[in-house]
Amino acid sequence: MRVIGLTGGIASGKSTFAAELRALGAPVVDADQLARAAVARGSAGLAAVVGAFGAEVLGEDGQLDRRRMAARVFSDPAARARLEAIVHPTVRALFRKELARLAARGEPLAFYDVPLLYEAGLEREVELVVVVWTPREVQLRRLAARDGLSRPEAEARLAAQTPLDEKAARADAVVANDGAPAALAGKAARLLSDLRAGLTRRLPNAAAPRY
């Protein structure tokens, strides 16, 4: 089974594109869902996070308060590294288990939806990388409107990630989300068609297809 990495940036439209792929019948493994499972209530992962950061990262329901945890590690690289050292090994194990399940089901390909794919060095875990790209100004406006952020707050969030232009420059295929959201459905269909027709190798980025 071929595994295709799918990434982008905050407010780039990656999740919308992933939903379009699912609607077309393509399996999409969501790294965020795996990360939630890795620190679910009662898990060894959550116990390790509490041991590293204290019980204040828990909500009243005993679950990890992801917003509070994000605020804790957002501007502290050392704290973020500690959290990743706890969560990432479990996420990788869950990812491989899900891939095995899909392969046993006879799926010819699957997408791995990872927001920080390049940041985590996961491009080595997949055959090809597809980046959902949008202009930075559009990304800023979407993020500010979606999360109720000021312009400086939105810019700080973007500054914490690898720029989308840089990710697109490294990608094997780029999906441009710079028009109407409805256009993503057609782009998802074309991408799937091309993959099924034999887009089987990494290409120099200048030759990478654009959608």
Side-chain angles (χ1 to χ4, degrees):
M1 183 180 69
R2 300 170 61 206
V3 183
I4 312 301
L6 177 65
T7 193
I10 189 169
S12 70
K14 175 185 61 61
S15 296
T16 301
F17 190 72
E20 297 292 355
L21 292 170
R22 287 192 186 94
L24 292 166
V28 180
V29 181
D30 187 332
D32 280 344
Q33 290 183 359
L34 299 184
R36 289 177 185 274
V39 292
R41 186 168 55 186
S43 69
L46 183 58
V49 170
V50 171
F53 295 96
E56 62 269 21
V57 299
L58 296 176
E60 293 181 1
D61 58 359
Q63 303 269 17
L64 180 67
D65 187 322
R66 291 171 64 87
R67 191 176 289 270
R68 191 178 301 168
M69 189 76 249
R72 178 81 174 269
V73 304
F74 177 70
S75 58
D76 186 341
R80 187 163 62 249
R82 287 202 307 276
L83 178 64
E84 290 172 351
I86 295 168
V87 175
H88 284 184
T90 302
V91 169
R92 281 194 294 272
L94 292 171
F95 168 58
R96 288 169 183 150
K97 182 178 179 180
E98 180 62 8
L99 288 188
R101 186 186 71 82
L102 292 171
R105 198 171 75 185
E107 295 288 351
L109 64 83
F111 289 87
Y112 190 26
D113 178 356
V114 189
L116 301 179
L117 183 142
Y118 283 121
E119 290 87 338
L122 292 176
E123 68 272 23
R124 296 182 293 272
E125 302 283 331
V126 298
E127 181 178 328
L128 301 168
V129 177
V130 177
V131 167
V132 180
W133 174 89
T134 198
R136 188 175 188 277
E137 187 59 33
V138 174
Q139 192 182 12
L140 279 168
R141 289 201 306 268
R142 287 177 182 162
L143 177 59
R146 187 191 74 185
D147 293 356
L149 302 176
S150 67
R151 174 80 180 212
E153 288 171 333
E155 288 178 337
R157 295 283 181 91
L158 290 194
Q161 295 187 352
T162 302
L164 263 180
D165 286 347
E166 182 178 328
K167 292 183 180 183
R170 298 173 64 182
D172 300 293
V174 177
V175 176
N177 182 24
D178 52 359
L184 288 180
K187 294 182 180 188
R190 292 199 299 276
L191 173 66
L192 273 177
S193 176
D194 285 352
L195 287 170
R196 289 165 177 162
L199 183 60
T200 58
R201 59 190 177 86
R202 294 189 185 275
L203 299 169
N205 186 258
R210 264 60 174 175
Y211 296 87

